[in-house]
Amino acid sequence: MLGNTIQGRFYQAGSTAVQDAKLHKNGDIWQLVLGTESKLLTVEIESVSDRLAGIAHKIILKDIGVFESSDNDGIDAMLETENSFFSRLTRVESSLPLVFVFAVLSVVILVSLYRFGIPALANGAAKVTPSSVLTLMDASSMQVVDRVFFSKSELPEKRRDEIRVLFDELIEQSGPQKLPFRLLFRDGGELGANAIALPGGTVIITDQLIKLSKSDDEISGVLGHEIGHGELRHSLRQIYRVLGIGFMISVIGGDSGQLVEDVVAQAVALGNLSYTRNFEIESDHRSAELMVGMGRDPFAFIELLKRMKKEKDDKNDKKETNWYSTHPSTFDRMANVKKFVDSLSPR
Amino acid sequence: MKLHKFKFTGNAKEYFGIWIVNLFLSIITLGIYTAWAKVRRVRYFYGHTFIDGHNLEYHAKPKSILIGRIIVLGILIIMNFLVSITPLAGVLVIPYLLALPWVINQAMRFNARVTSYRNVRFNFKGTYWQALKIFFLIPLGAILGFGLVIAVLESLFGESLKSLSGLQAVISIIIYLIVLLVSAALFVSYMSKLTSNYIGNNLSFGSADFRTDAKLKPLVANYAFSLLFFVVIVAVFALAGFIAGSMFEITKLLESTQLGNTIPIGNEAYVSAIFGAFIAIYIGMFLGFLFYNAGVRNIAYRATLLDGQHQLQSSISQLQYVWIMVSNLFVTVFTIGLMRPWAAIRTWRYLADNTALLAKNDLGNIVDESTPEGAAASAEFLDIEGFDFGL
């Protein structure tokens, strides 16, 4: 009989009143004994709380209240719930070797998700995003950047047409396009000499950059670089990747505390910088590929970049840093593009 | 009168197992399991928290949490998408702000109703208008009032500050700063009073109501101490910066004498001190915020009565609390998160150990007043948006 009785406490429904009690199992019938009384009360079990380490089971008895007992094994045995999901889970949670395995697995999965899984998902998502949505995004971004950074281009129409020809030549060279590429001219204002690619195929080039250039090859190379960003969907991949990491953090950070979350966010921002530099290298290669295909000088744009950099450094009086800058240093780029162009030429 | 201290019986080793299995299952189910993980986590903390030999229980259903999370995620995705395709979507911030008081109420109601003690549920009865007033209208009014104070100060002292010299200018600056600090202190403390009272007065346990009457005076004092704490932190960092800068300058000086060159010696020490102070302002605001909140918890709890007779108590040492949070952060980060369970247990235990209920008589005569739980979506919204009432 002993195996069929559990000691515990009974909370009467509807108030905080409590008393000691016993729960008996008699065949298929459950009986409750209150305090030291000898009366057996037949009860019906409505539900039982899920098993969790060290926490007393609560058995809800239909209509009359709750029976609570910390004899969790006894309850599992009597209810035959030893193999329910949460009872198994509780055993897993308290097994040192299994916990160790899960800890190692979690770290391995998280690191590989961060390194490979999320970028791969982001690339996939970027590929299937319809270009009509991107066009809308471009239009919206243009409203913002026009208000914040740019003003109307002062470049003569004739010069603009010449550059448009360069741009069209590049588009032609790059083959069939999924994105509606278009070229816009703006006065760079605070940004000075610069070229920007938006996710939907909009390429902006500033008057200052054109003035700084010494040849068409230089401008063509920069435009090729920006077209590369568009074709390879770099900004979109970056947007999806940041979203993915944000989602990952919210999944793992359910109980991380505010301070920890802030620190993680800063670390992720730093990690982004080195990640986007790979995009620059990819775009450099694409530019070189296009330039070689058109018989133009694939290195010319790096000279222009050097001049851009120098102008900026003179203005800001800052030294070039490798870690914080989103673009690789011009020296690295030159070597990189050289290597790439060498690999293009037939041996 | 009987003092019932809150007792926490959980331990880091046990919780680590729960935490890591939660994490693993959450990852491989792409986040779906997080709803079950949350219930398991909160149940562990509640279930190991005892008052007078009985524990708290968390009854939320994972499915309602999951649905809540999906709704919130959906809304966030749609909002962000709209904002990225047209800047005009920024006007959505207005319905967002107007919905916020409702969301806060729903979340507090959900969290209260899924919590029980001795088989009796908690409840929260705050109304939309009260919440709108406290979380929206009064802060808005106070910010406008604050702007007015600054404008008045500008017009009174702005001109004379430029033309005055010596003692008069110093006195003007001091008056300016004092008025500014005092009005900020009053505003922040008053808001804390309103929020604490709003939460306390709308919370109930079964048929018994909580009553909170936080007084302005201790809250203002708490603000003053927090400000002092902030100033000390900034000063310490500035000093550290100054020392680091001086060292740098001394090495430079030594180098220049060794080389026989005359490198001009700048004021690196001062630059570095100012740099240190700037970092410290950021850190100091964070720590000052923790320090301040711990003080508010003490004041609000001590001003709270259950059923008109049982007195809540809170005796957190603010310095120790800040220390626990900061050391937790370092331990967590340096163990790539693996010590987070230990840190969470440590915080919870500290809070429980410093909380008590001074009961006038037996707690066994409070009647239940069960009501449906309401939607989990808003509780999840606050979860994602980072609100934490630190109950």
Side-chain angles (χ1 to χ4, degrees):
Chain A
M1 271 308 283
L2 200 71
N4 284 342
T5 303
I6 314 164
Q7 295 282 346
R9 292 194 290 205
F10 177 69
Y11 297 84
Q12 206 171 328
S15 88
T16 50
V18 61
Q19 53 190 311
D20 286 339
K22 286 196 259 303
L23 194 63
H24 281 295
K25 189 183 182 187
N26 195 349
D28 284 341
I29 298 164
W30 294 88
Q31 291 164 320
L32 186 73
V33 184
L34 291 177
T36 51
E37 286 175 39
S38 54
K39 209 176 84 187
L40 289 167
L41 199 66
T42 304
V43 291
E44 198 182 320
I45 293 178
E46 193 174 305
S47 63
V48 184
S49 64
D50 298 325
R51 182 120 187 218
L52 183 62
I55 290 175
H57 257 315
K58 287 194 170 70
I59 302 177
I60 298 175
L61 304 174
K62 203 172 179 204
D63 297 332
I64 62 165
V66 173
F67 177 79
E68 178 199 79
S69 170
S70 40
D71 182 8
N72 289 328
D73 287 334
I75 291 180
D76 260 354
M78 266 168 70
L79 286 164
E80 291 162 19
T81 49
E82 298 107 319
N83 291 320
S84 71
F85 177 72
F86 286 109
S87 295
R88 282 165 190 254
L89 200 62
T90 305
R91 284 199 290 277
V92 170
E93 285 164 351
S94 57
S95 144
L96 217 57
L98 283 177
V99 162
F100 180 75
V101 169
F102 280 119
V104 172
L105 276 178
S106 299
V107 171
V108 168
I109 295 176
L110 281 177
V111 170
S112 34
L113 265 181
Y114 178 80
R115 289 292 301 250
F116 311 110
I118 290 176
L121 277 174
N123 294 354
K127 268 200 195 105
V128 300
T129 306
S131 63
S132 54
V133 174
L134 299 179
T135 310
L136 277 173
M137 278 171 74
D138 274 15
S140 153
S141 309
M142 279 314 294
Q143 284 184 21
V144 176
V145 290
D146 270 344
R147 203 172 333 142
V148 181
F149 301 115
F150 298 136
S151 47
K152 230 175 130 234
S153 169
E154 305 287 335
L155 211 64
E157 193 56 39
K158 197 172 146 275
R159 183 80 183 116
R160 279 195 229 183
D161 281 339
E162 288 166 12
I163 292 163
R164 280 194 194 105
V165 169
L166 290 177
F167 190 72
D168 291 342
E169 188 190 16
L170 279 161
I171 300 291
E172 180 100 342
Q173 177 65 29
S174 66
Q177 285 301 338
K178 282 188 188 155
L179 284 181
F181 278 105
R182 60 173 185 156
L183 180 64
L184 297 176
F185 298 91
R186 292 288 188 273
D187 181 295
E190 280 290 303
L191 288 181
N194 220 323
I196 294 169
L198 299 180
T202 305
V203 174
I204 308 158
I205 189 163
T206 67
D207 295 358
Q208 288 87 339
L209 186 74
I210 293 163
K211 273 179 205 136
L212 203 63
S213 68
K214 286 182 178 157
S215 71
D216 281 358
D217 279 6
E218 289 185 357
I219 296 179
S220 187
V222 166
L223 291 177
H225 174 94
E226 300 305 326
I227 289 173
H229 277 317
E231 280 181 340
L232 299 164
R233 306 219 159 182
H234 282 156
S235 7
L236 206 56
R237 275 155 69 182
Q238 175 61 2
I239 292 171
Y240 282 126
R241 182 174 164 273
V242 169
L243 283 178
I245 290 173
F247 186 72
M248 186 173 104
I249 289 173
S250 73
V251 165
I252 61 177
D255 164 47
S256 63
Q258 189 133 49
L259 284 176
V260 176
E261 254 167 46
D262 282 313
V263 169
V264 170
Q266 298 294 336
V268 168
L270 263 176
N272 264 337
L273 289 178
S274 62
Y275 184 75
T276 46
R277 285 194 298 180
N278 286 331
F279 286 169
E280 298 307 324
I281 292 169
E282 275 181 39
S283 282
D284 280 358
H285 289 177
R286 182 59 179 152
S287 169
E289 198 175 32
L290 293 173
M291 296 292 281
V292 169
M294 297 185 303
R296 288 184 180 276
D297 176 7
F299 307 112
F301 82 103
I302 294 179
E303 294 303 321
L304 178 56
L305 291 175
K306 276 186 188 161
R307 245 171 282 136
M308 252 170 84
K309 187 109 202 158
K310 192 169 175 299
E311 197 189 46
K312 259 193 199 118
D313 288 348
D314 289 347
K315 209 162 88 183
N316 299 339
D317 193 27
K318 264 188 198 153
K319 292 270 173 284
E320 185 174 306
T321 60
N322 229 342
W323 174 246
Y324 281 105
S325 61
T326 54
H327 284 59
S329 74
T330 40
F331 178 74
D332 289 341
R333 292 178 92 152
M334 193 60 165
N336 234 309
V337 173
K338 271 220 170 81
K339 223 201 244 159
F340 179 73
V341 170
D342 287 347
S343 77
L344 281 180
S345 55
R347 272 149 217 262
Chain B
M1 287 294 204
K2 193 160 179 251
L3 186 70
H4 299 300
K5 286 193 130 189
F6 284 39
K7 225 180 261 139
F8 183 61
T9 57
N11 67 71
K13 195 182 147 212
E14 205 170 54
Y15 179 54
F16 184 85
I18 295 169
W19 179 81
I20 200 78
V21 172
N22 274 347
L23 179 66
F24 179 77
L25 292 175
S26 296
I27 299 167
I28 61 165
T29 57
L30 297 175
I32 292 169
Y33 189 77
T34 53
W36 280 261
K38 181 183 177 177
V39 171
R40 245 174 135 61
R41 163 167 58 87
V42 180
R43 270 193 73 207
Y44 184 81
F45 282 98
Y46 280 21
H48 279 287
T49 306
F50 285 86
I51 308 150
D52 190 22
H54 301 275
N55 58 356
L56 293 170
E57 180 70 63
Y58 184 68
H59 302 270
K61 301 260 184 303
K63 266 180 206 146
S64 49
I65 290 177
L66 183 65
I67 293 169
R69 291 204 164 154
I70 291 170
I71 292 173
V72 170
L73 199 66
I75 291 175
L76 287 180
I77 289 173
I78 292 169
M79 291 261 277
N80 277 309
F81 178 73
L82 288 178
V83 169
S84 73
I85 58 169
T86 160
L88 284 179
V91 298
L92 286 173
V93 76
I94 294 168
Y96 175 90
L97 282 178
L98 287 177
L100 205 56
W102 181 83
V103 170
I104 291 174
N105 279 342
Q106 292 297 312
M108 304 236 280
R109 181 167 329 180
F110 180 81
N111 286 333
R113 285 180 181 177
V114 294
T115 305
S116 77
Y117 171 69
R118 294 175 77 148
N119 196 30
V120 169
R121 302 270 182 135
F122 288 80
N123 194 7
F124 184 81
K125 297 169 183 161
T127 63
Y128 178 80
W129 290 112
Q130 280 175 301
L132 183 75
K133 214 166 69 182
I134 287 167
F135 297 111
F136 192 61
L137 295 180
I138 293 177
L140 193 71
I143 287 166
L144 292 178
F146 206 61
L148 198 70
V149 170
I150 290 175
V152 168
L153 285 173
E154 261 320 304
S155 65
L156 281 179
F157 298 106
E159 275 308 302
S160 57
L161 273 183
K162 280 172 211 145
S163 54
L164 287 179
S165 59
L167 192 62
Q168 273 175 307
V170 171
I171 292 173
S172 303
I173 290 173
I174 289 174
I175 295 176
Y176 191 115
L177 277 178
I178 286 177
V179 174
L180 211 61
L181 280 177
V182 167
S183 36
L186 284 175
F187 165 57
V188 175
S189 314
Y190 185 62
M191 283 313 301
S192 293
K193 172 186 154 89
L194 286 182
T195 340
S196 305
N197 289 354
Y198 174 71
I199 295 171
N201 288 330
N202 286 301
L203 203 61
S204 58
F205 173 59
S207 58
D209 287 333
F210 283 91
R211 280 286 162 262
T212 303
D213 185 16
K215 296 275 192 288
L216 195 59
K217 219 164 109 184
L219 285 168
V220 173
N222 176 47
Y223 183 90
F225 280 122
S226 308
L227 193 67
L228 188 69
F229 176 71
F230 168 76
V231 170
V232 169
I233 287 180
V234 175
V236 167
F237 271 79
L239 189 69
F242 186 79
I243 292 169
S246 310
M247 305 277 261
F248 183 69
E249 217 169 276
I250 288 166
T251 42
K252 226 170 79 170
L253 192 71
L254 287 175
E255 269 172 21
S256 69
T257 46
Q258 272 167 4
L259 294 168
N261 291 335
T262 48
I263 297 169
I265 303 301
N267 34 14
E268 248 88 19
Y270 294 101
V271 172
S272 165
I274 291 168
F275 187 68
F278 267 114
I279 296 177
I281 285 173
Y282 182 73
I283 296 171
M285 284 200 337
F286 237 102
L287 301 187
F289 186 69
L290 290 174
F291 187 94
Y292 177 82
N293 275 353
V296 171
R297 184 193 197 260
N298 280 342
I299 294 164
Y301 276 39
R302 284 171 198 161
T304 300
L305 279 180
L306 172 62
D307 209 13
Q309 48 189 340
H310 314 300
Q311 167 83 51
L312 259 186
Q313 300 207 326
S314 170
S315 53
I316 300 174
S317 148
Q318 287 159 274
L319 278 176
Q320 208 173 338
Y321 179 70
V322 172
W323 160 245
I324 287 175
M325 298 309 268
V326 172
S327 49
N328 275 354
L329 172 73
F330 278 99
V331 170
T332 304
V333 169
F334 285 126
T335 56
I336 51 161
L338 288 175
M339 282 294 267
R340 176 61 205 164
W342 171 84
I345 293 279
R346 180 176 174 226
T347 311
W348 191 275
R349 169 166 295 132
Y350 182 72
L351 290 179
D353 282 350
N354 287 286
T355 309
L357 186 74
L358 189 61
K360 198 159 187 184
N361 46 40
D362 188 45
L363 293 169
N365 54 4
I366 291 171
V367 181
D368 192 18
E369 237 188 12
S370 282
T371 28
E373 286 156 15
S378 11
E380 288 313 303
F381 181 79
L382 292 195
D383 237 31
I384 288 189
E385 291 287 279
F387 285 76
D388 187 6
F389 291 99
L391 209 111

